[in-house]
């Protein structure tokens, strides 16, 4: 949906003819094409993509019962599924996976069983799709150059939410002298639990030859009071490009600081504030 929306916006600005000369895809969409090209060049069929999360949850439920000899709750399965995504996207080593047993009981055994089951059934999930595409680019010298010549100019949107292995794939496609433009803000990265890797964005100018960093420090959405308070908070972040946000809009209501004792208390306050609310506050 995001790729389709980007294409639609491009067409509205530059027309249909120019849009036909570009490819608007998610990184997983690019990886699917890499795998398809591998299949065609080798005359083989890769694993089938398992996109049904309910089937994956059922598989993990069976694995948990076998490994832990107990029935996992839905929340446990969701936590395990999220951690599996984290492992594959961060390219964790075996000893790092073992360390995750401290967070989730028996995780390393569950993870190995899940990987074995998927391979045995010749299935891959969306995270495997990234891993397999990366391995194809590294191990098949005929495929990478053809893709580099096809995608000579690469623009990555929402780069702060891109995972480590996704950055590794982009680096290979762009090549050492490639034309790569990354749009994002490391201060806005909130998906670390899902393996977002904003460090690659923060390190961009150090990794890429002749790289330039262009800052957009104007906020067009919020009032001056909100932007000022947010900027003071954001300045506490480390490993970031130095920047100061300023508001284009004028003044608004003063920011109120409230203290709640729990998440439930936060929800209760928001519900009370929103009840019968007829105006913006």
């Amino acid at each position: 949906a995001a790729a389709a929306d980007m294409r639609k916006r491009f067409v509205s600005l530059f027309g249909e003819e120019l849009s036909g000369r570009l490819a608007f895809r998610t990184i997983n969409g690019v990886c699917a094409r890499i795998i398809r090209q591998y299949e065609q060049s080798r005359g083989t069929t890769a694993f089938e993509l398992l996109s049904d999360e309910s089937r994956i949850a059922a598989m993990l439920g069976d694995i948990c019962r076998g490994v832990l000899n107990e029935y996992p709750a839905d929340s446990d399965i969701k936590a395990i599924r999220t951690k599996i995504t984290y492992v594959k996207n961060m390219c964790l080593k075996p000893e790092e996976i073992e360390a995750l047993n401290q967070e989730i009981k028996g995780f390393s055994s569950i993870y190995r069983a899940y990987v074995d089951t998927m391979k045995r059934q010749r299935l891959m999930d969306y995270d495997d799709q990234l891993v397999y595409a990366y391995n194809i680019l590294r191990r098949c010298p005929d495929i990478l150059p053809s893709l580099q010549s096809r995608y000579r100019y690469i623009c990555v949107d929402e780069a702060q939410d891109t995972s480590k292995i996704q950055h590794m794939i982009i680096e290979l496609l762009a090549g050492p002298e490639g034309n790569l433009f990354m749009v994002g803000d490391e201060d806005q990265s909130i998906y670390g639990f899902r393996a977002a890797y904003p460090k690659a964005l923060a390190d961009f100018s150090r990794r890429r030859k002749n790289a330039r960093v262009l800052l957009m420090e104007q906020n067009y959405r919020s009032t001056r009071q909100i932007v000022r308070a947010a900027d003071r908070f954001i300045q506490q972040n480390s490993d970031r490009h130095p920047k100061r946000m300023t508001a284009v809009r004028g003044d608004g209501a003063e920011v109120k600081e409230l203290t709640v004792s729990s998440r439930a208390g936060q929800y209760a306050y928001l519900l009370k504030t929103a009840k019968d609310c007829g105006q913006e506050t």
Side-chain angles (χ1 to χ4, degrees), residues 102-150:
Q102 300 176 15
E103 299 180 28
I104 298 178
K105 179 182 176 182
F107 174 79
S108 60
S109 297
I110 295 170
Y111 175 77
R112 287 193 296 270
Y114 173 75
V115 170
D116 291 342
T117 301
M118 293 288 281
K119 287 183 177 178
R120 189 168 58 251
Q121 298 184 18
R122 296 192 60 79
L123 296 171
M124 63 179 172
D125 58 26
Y126 280 112
D127 305 311
D128 291 324
Q129 195 176 51
L130 300 170
V131 175
Y132 295 155
Y134 175 70
N135 288 333
I136 288 170
L137 293 178
R138 286 181 59 241
R139 298 172 184 175
C140 303
D142 58 314
I143 291 180
L144 179 57
S146 67
L147 290 166
Q148 287 175 331
S149 63
R150 182 187 306 172

Side-chain angles (χ1 to χ4, degrees), residues 223 225-226 229 232 252-259 269 273 281:
T223 60
Q225 285 83 351
I226 293 174
R232 285 200 304 269
E254 289 299 322
V255 175
K256 298 178 182 179
E257 183 177 336
L258 301 166
T259 301
Y269 171 80
T273 302
T281 58

Side-chain angles (χ1 to χ4, degrees), residues 20-258:
R21 296 165 57 185
L22 289 93
F24 299 89
R25 296 193 180 94
T26 63
I27 297 179
N28 274 93
V30 172
C31 289
R33 284 183 170 263
I34 293 170
I35 294 172
R36 192 174 305 123
Q37 183 168 335
Y38 173 82
E39 291 177 323
Q40 294 170 350
S41 65
R42 301 300 189 271
T44 185
T45 302
F47 292 172
E48 177 187 352
L49 178 64
L50 178 57
S51 58
D52 187 346
E53 285 294 330
S54 62
R55 283 181 59 189
I56 293 176
M59 181 189 299
L60 286 173
D62 292 338
I63 291 171
C64 288
R65 287 191 288 273
V67 171
L68 304 176
N69 197 29
E70 59 186 49
Y71 286 88
D74 290 344
S75 58
D76 295 329
I77 292 177
K78 185 176 181 180
I80 292 169
R81 181 74 183 96
T82 299
K83 195 62 70 176
I84 288 173
T85 289
Y86 182 84
V87 166
K88 294 179 180 179
N89 277 266
M90 290 297 289
C91 306
L92 295 190
K93 299 175 182 178
E95 60 271 20
E96 294 174 314
I97 298 174
E98 291 290 335
L100 295 176
N101 290 331
Q102 300 176 15
E103 299 180 28
I104 298 178
K105 179 182 176 182
F107 174 79
S108 60
S109 297
I110 295 170
Y111 175 77
R112 287 193 296 270
Y114 173 75
V115 170
D116 291 342
T117 301
M118 293 288 281
K119 287 183 177 178
R120 189 168 58 251
Q121 298 184 18
R122 296 192 60 79
L123 296 171
M124 63 179 172
D125 58 26
Y126 280 112
D127 305 311
D128 291 324
Q129 195 176 51
L130 300 170
V131 175
Y132 295 155
Y134 175 70
N135 288 333
I136 288 170
L137 293 178
R138 286 181 59 241
R139 298 172 184 175
C140 303
D142 58 314
I143 291 180
L144 179 57
S146 67
L147 290 166
Q148 287 175 331
S149 63
R150 182 187 306 172
Y151 302 117
R152 293 180 55 208
Y153 303 92
I154 299 174
C155 176
V156 182
D157 194 23
E158 301 291 358
Q160 77 276 357
D161 297 330
T162 305
S163 71
K164 187 174 185 177
I165 194 167
Q166 289 173 340
H167 278 289
M168 292 159 63
I169 291 168
I170 292 165
E171 290 282 344
L172 285 175
L173 291 173
E177 302 296 332
N179 295 287
L180 177 60
F181 185 37
M182 307 198 80
V183 183
D185 181 2
E186 67 277 4
D187 286 328
Q188 295 187 44
S189 183
I190 60 173
Y191 294 111
F193 67 97
R194 284 201 323 224
Y197 193 64
K199 180 175 173 56
L201 188 60
D203 291 344
F204 183 78
S205 58
R206 293 192 287 268
R207 291 193 336 270
R208 305 293 302 189
K209 182 181 178 182
N210 299 323
R212 291 179 60 199
V213 176
L214 308 176
L215 298 178
M216 297 176 64
E217 299 174 283
Q218 293 76 37
N219 181 295
Y220 294 87
R221 178 177 296 172
S222 301
T223 60
R224 186 175 290 113
Q225 285 83 351
I226 293 174
V227 173
R228 188 187 303 127
D231 187 64
R232 285 200 304 269
F233 182 77
I234 290 170
Q235 295 299 322
Q236 307 307 310
N237 286 347
S238 59
D239 196 14
R240 62 190 291 273
H241 292 105
K243 50 188 177 293
R244 300 303 298 250
M245 300 305 298
T246 58
V248 173
R249 288 178 60 183
D251 289 330
E254 289 299 322
V255 175
K256 298 178 182 179
E257 183 177 336
L258 301 166

